Amino acid sequence: MSLIPTYVCDTIPPARLATFALLSDPSMDFDQPAIFSDNEPPSTSPKHHNDHQENGSPPPSQGPPPRKLCVRHQRMADEGTNLKLQQSLDALPVEEREAVNAVWSNFSSSSHARRALILQGLLTMCCFSQLSLLTDQLAHLIRIDPFAILPREVGIKILGYLDATSLCRAAQVARRWKCLADDDILWKGICEQHIGQKCHKCGWGLPILEKKRKTYRSLCPPLSSFPSSTSTLKRGPQDSSDLASPPMKRQRSEIDLSPPGRPVASSSNRSLTQPTELDVSSTLLAPNPAAPQSLSVTRPWKDVYSERMTIERNWRRGRCTVRTLKGHTDGVMCLQFSETLSRPAFPVLITGSYDRTVRVWNLETGVELHCLKGHTRAVRALQFDEVKLITGSMDNTIKVWDWRSGKCIRTLTGHTQGVVCLNFDSNVLASGSADSTVRVWNLRTGGAFTLRGHTEWVNAVQLWDSNPSSLQTSSTDTSLFDVQGSSSLLGASLQIDPGKMLFSASDDGTIRLWDLTLRSCVKVFTGHVGQVQSMKLLLADECEDDPVEYAMPGNVTSRFASEQTVDIALSSQPMRKKPILISGSLDNTIRLWDIETGQVIRTFFGHIEGVWAVASDELRLVSGSHDRTIKVWSREEGRCMTTLVGHQAAVSCLALGEDKIVSGSDDCDIKVWSFSE
């Protein structure tokens, strides 16, 4: 019976055709060993096999071990190719078997040059049917798995040049590929490239999800229980059936209405079930001493990326769930929420309304926690932090609250008409009014001064530290919040830190930039043809339009990094870039401004009526309009990605989070648009 040898790599001399008789010959030269099918010794004839069994002696020595196989022949041995070929040969008659074996033996014993010549001759004699067979066979034979022969480190280096989609596809090829493609080193690099910023290669950016980072950093159980005059206002609730009439100022009568029960309604493509209202006490927001200690939780970087990619895709495709929070009895004019407070553990939303109340909500459950009463007319502006809440009202006053207990700490006066907007930082409070002025309060000393220049209502103010390195660090718990009662505190020191600037937007269609140290206007931005209602300043580390590279962190060395290490954008220190101002106006447009030149960079068209509110972060821009819609924009491309419909009246205010939008409307409702589900 003829035998099929398995040959060694072509880089060494060809093997001899061996038979069992030759192997039995002790004079056999083993300098050129033969390697048989699948590294197995050839089958013997029945006669020789029986002789060895009868004699009880072991089979003769097989000689020295075969030479190491090349990649191709090793794969043939693993796949059993030679065994299949041997079976096909055994099916032939003896004469044909010997003829085929002779051809193979001659080719095996030939040199490289002779092999090439033999192959060329065989190809010349082949018809198309044989050439087609050869083509099919070669397509399989010349394939090679690079990760099967390369070191793991080299394989990971190669895969490091792929994007996330290509890595996921590579993981589906084979188990070996999946093991490499799922390596934490690769996905850590992709997370660094995308989370918290837009990738300069693919244009995709992923949210940081600060709330989830804190959740994994410290696992805490959820809290289930807790201890009449006529005025000129900016606008009122509009007739839901009339969208053609432009928004305008008009007289409104504010009637004191007792707040009814506050159920939480749910609406949208996918409705969410809301919990019933819980008993609320003044100890609601107190820290929980029985809370467990922080637990260490680790996650693969691929899971971190996948979680954030799902949210980003929802943003781009407009997939969201909507919850409606009910409680206000008149239009909602201002709101702010925070998901990163140290206490309480849940996200907090605070809203202000024409009904003269300020309401504090548990944004996670939709339960109203406090209803702050004290203003005698509409609440038009608010801002809060860990310590305090400051509100501005059409009753000409500004109030400072302890929003956890619901108590008013202080009332500030100074404006002669209603307070329409405000903004504060650690040292300065600025407020804009219907009296066309901007009032600046020094929170460290209690001093205040007035900026004059606008000719109409001041609708938005925004502080800006143009030179942060020169700022002084001071505590804000000074006499301004320690003294009870109302006072303008004009006699106190008015010193403002160098570099402190202020933007103000007005009904006169202009935006002004003020130097608070000089107390003078240094630039006027003109371009809007309608009243400018809102502004958003993209600070240095938020602006993506200036092509400056980010500094990449490299302090993660563990294979399975903790979720705590998703401080990618937070722990890194990006290079300072030029800030950009965004404004929304009743001329139906949104504009991006170059602060240095005062020129418009880009104008967004899409709303069919005036824009009342704008918000933006590192990844996207959103706007709320009198046409009852909310639009999500690509800031770099200037196009609308998603339009959200649900409010029954003008969208008067909104706030943007990493996975949600919270909006308030003249229909008295607050809607939470969540893209994380």
Side-chain angles (χ1 to χ4, degrees):
M1 183 178 70
S2 300
L3 302 172
I4 304 301
T6 304
Y7 303 109
V8 294
C9 182
D10 284 347
T11 57
I12 61 175
R16 293 180 180 180
L17 180 63
T19 64
F20 189 79
L22 291 175
L23 290 173
S24 303
D25 187 359
S27 62
M28 172 69 182
D29 181 13
F30 288 102
D31 289 339
Q32 305 291 338
I35 300 180
F36 298 96
S37 64
D38 300 323
N39 292 335
E40 294 284 346
S43 59
T44 61
S45 65
K47 180 178 182 303
H48 287 91
H49 181 70
N50 294 336
D51 289 344
H52 285 295
Q53 282 186 339
E54 292 174 359
N55 297 334
S57 60
S61 173
Q62 300 298 316
R67 290 193 177 114
K68 183 179 180 180
L69 298 178
C70 69
V71 175
R72 162 165 157 66
H73 290 98
Q74 183 61 53
R75 188 174 70 176
M76 290 174 58
D78 295 338
E79 296 177 353
T81 303
N82 288 347
L83 179 60
K84 297 176 183 177
L85 197 59
Q86 180 72 62
Q87 293 173 351
S88 300
L89 184 64
D90 292 342
L92 297 176
V94 177
E95 295 79 6
E96 295 184 16
R97 189 188 312 167
E98 291 179 351
V100 173
N101 193 66
V103 174
W104 289 346
S105 299
N106 290 334
F107 185 82
S108 175
S109 60
S110 299
S111 62
H112 289 287
R114 286 183 60 189
R115 287 188 177 192
L117 182 60
I118 293 173
L119 287 176
Q120 290 177 357
L122 291 175
L123 291 175
T124 303
M125 292 182 285
C126 288
C127 297
F128 280 110
S129 59
Q130 287 86 42
L131 291 176
S132 178
L133 174 64
L134 185 62
T135 301
D136 293 339
Q137 293 294 321
L138 286 177
H140 171 72
L141 295 177
I142 63 176
R143 290 185 302 175
I144 186 173
D145 183 357
F147 301 127
I149 60 175
L150 295 175
R152 178 182 178 85
E153 293 76 10
V154 177
I156 292 178
K157 181 67 174 179
I158 294 173
L159 292 176
Y161 291 96
L162 301 181
D163 57 18
T165 302
S166 301
L167 272 181
C168 292
R169 291 173 179 170
Q172 301 176 16
V173 174
R175 293 183 179 179
R176 181 185 293 110
W177 286 51
K178 178 175 176 57
C179 181
L180 291 175
D182 288 348
D183 193 275
D184 251 25
I185 296 177
L186 297 175
W187 288 100
K188 168 183 172 289
I190 292 179
C191 287
E192 289 177 346
Q193 187 177 352
H194 293 85
I195 294 181
Q197 60 188 10
K198 286 198 174 181
C199 175
H200 298 294
K201 297 179 181 178
C202 66
W204 277 73
L206 304 181
I208 300 176
L209 297 186
E210 179 69 15
K211 177 185 176 183
K212 290 185 178 293
R213 290 174 58 251
K214 288 182 175 294
T215 301
Y216 279 97
R217 186 176 299 175
S218 177
L219 298 181
C220 298
L223 298 178
S224 57
S225 60
F226 312 99
S228 181
S229 60
T230 303
S231 60
T232 303
L233 299 182
K234 185 70 177 200
R235 62 185 172 92
Q238 308 295 328
D239 184 2
S240 60
S241 62
D242 183 13
L243 283 179
S245 59
M248 61 183 67
K249 303 180 179 70
R250 64 184 178 89
Q251 295 287 337
R252 296 198 46 192
S253 176
E254 297 179 316
I255 305 174
D256 188 11
L257 299 176
S258 300
R262 296 176 288 272
V264 180
S266 175
S267 65
S268 181
N269 301 335
R270 293 175 288 172
S271 61
L272 300 178
T273 303
Q274 296 299 322
T276 58
E277 185 175 0
L278 303 177
D279 293 336
V280 179
S281 66
S282 61
T283 61
L284 171 65
L285 305 178
N288 183 7
Q293 298 297 323
S294 298
L295 301 179
S296 177
V297 179
T298 60
R299 304 176 68 199
W301 280 104
K302 185 176 182 180
D303 289 354
V304 173
Y305 180 89
S306 177
E307 179 182 58
R308 286 151 177 78
M309 174 57 75
T310 299
I311 295 176
E312 181 64 22
R313 283 177 176 168
N314 289 341
W315 273 108
R316 298 194 172 209
R317 297 172 183 175
R319 296 176 179 174
C320 63
T321 59
V322 185
R323 289 183 300 156
T324 302
L325 310 183
K326 293 184 178 293
H328 285 292
T329 58
D330 208 335
V332 180
M333 294 306 301
C334 52
L335 59 83
Q336 180 192 345
F337 75 91
S338 177
E339 299 180 288
T340 59
L341 297 172
S342 58
R343 69 177 179 92
F346 51 80
V348 172
L349 167 68
I350 302 182
T351 58
S353 169
Y354 271 125
D355 63 12
R356 296 175 282 180
T357 66
V358 177
R359 298 176 189 262
V360 183
W361 310 77
N362 181 333
L363 187 56
E364 194 168 63
T365 63
V367 174
E368 183 181 315
L369 309 179
H370 289 305
C371 180
L372 312 183
K373 298 181 179 180
H375 285 294
T376 59
R377 294 176 64 183
V379 178
R380 290 296 308 268
L382 64 83
Q383 183 182 347
F384 74 95
D385 58 16
E386 291 270 2
V387 178
K388 59 188 176 296
L389 163 68
I390 301 181
T391 59
S393 170
M394 296 304 292
D395 62 10
N396 306 356
T397 66
I398 298 172
K399 289 184 179 292
V400 183
W401 309 77
D402 179 351
W403 57 268
R404 288 184 172 85
S405 65
K407 297 179 180 179
C408 180
I409 300 174
R410 167 170 199 86
T411 299
L412 306 178
T413 61
H415 286 291
T416 59
Q417 294 187 42
V419 178
V420 182
C421 56
L422 61 84
N423 181 232
F424 70 84
D425 59 16
S426 60
N427 297 323
V428 175
L429 164 66
S431 60
S433 170
D435 62 12
S436 307
T437 66
V438 177
R439 193 161 183 80
V440 180
W441 315 75
N442 190 324
L443 299 186
R444 292 177 297 178
T445 64
F449 59 88
T450 302
L451 303 176
R452 304 180 187 276
H454 287 294
T455 59
E456 294 287 347
W457 288 25
V458 179
N459 300 312
V461 290
Q462 177 71 60
L463 292 166
W464 174 41
D465 294 328
S466 62
N467 186 20
S469 59
S470 66
L471 298 180
Q472 304 175 13
T473 57
S474 302
S475 174
T476 61
D477 49 351
T478 59
S479 59
L480 178 62
F481 302 131
D482 291 339
V483 180
Q484 300 294 328
S486 61
S487 172
S488 60
L489 301 175
L490 292 176
S493 173
L494 305 178
Q495 181 63 39
I496 302 295
D497 293 328
K500 183 77 72 174
M501 313 291 283
L502 175 71
F503 292 93
S504 61
S506 170
D507 270 356
D508 59 18
T510 66
I511 301 173
R512 291 178 177 265
L513 176 60
W514 307 82
D515 187 327
L516 298 187
T517 304
L518 302 176
R519 305 183 197 174
S520 63
C521 178
V522 296
K523 188 169 297 184
V524 179
F525 300 80
T526 58
H528 281 296
V529 295
Q531 300 98 317
V532 184
Q533 293 298 316
S534 59
M535 293 186 302
K536 169 65 178 179
L537 180 66
L538 299 182
L539 302 181
D541 59 346
E542 294 179 329
C543 176
E544 294 285 339
D545 294 317
D546 198 11
V548 180
E549 295 294 332
Y550 276 84
M552 290 296 182
N555 57 350
V556 181
T557 58
S558 61
R559 173 165 174 76
F560 288 96
S562 169
E563 177 73 3
Q564 179 177 349
T565 59
V566 190
D567 296 350
I568 296 169
L570 301 180
S571 62
S572 61
Q573 296 296 327
M575 299 178 66
R576 182 170 179 81
K577 296 183 292 185
K578 178 174 59 178
I580 288 181
L581 186 69
I582 300 175
S583 62
S585 168
L586 296 188
D587 62 9
N588 306 356
T589 67
I590 304 161
R591 296 176 187 259
L592 268 65
W593 302 84
D594 186 323
I595 293 177
E596 292 184 355
T597 64
Q599 300 300 314
V600 176
I601 300 175
R602 183 175 291 112
T603 302
F604 298 81
F605 298 95
H607 285 294
I608 61 176
E609 295 193 58
V611 178
W612 290 105
V614 294
S616 181
D617 61 10
E618 299 90 338
L619 305 178
R620 58 189 56 85
L621 183 153
V622 297
S623 58
S625 169
H626 193 79
D627 60 17
R628 311 177 188 177
T629 67
I630 298 171
K631 289 185 179 292
V632 181
W633 307 82
S634 170
R635 193 173 65 244
E636 291 75 17
E637 301 175 11
R639 64 180 180 88
C640 178
M641 300 170 58
T642 303
T643 299
L644 306 177
V645 180
H647 282 293
Q648 302 302 312
V651 180
S652 53
C653 56
L654 55 80
L656 174 64
E658 293 180 317
D659 60 349
K660 63 174 63 68
I661 298 173
V662 181
S663 60
S665 169
D666 277 350
D667 60 12
C668 310
D669 290 343
I670 304 157
K671 289 187 180 292
V672 182
W673 314 75
S674 176
F675 295 84
S676 61
E677 303 179 25

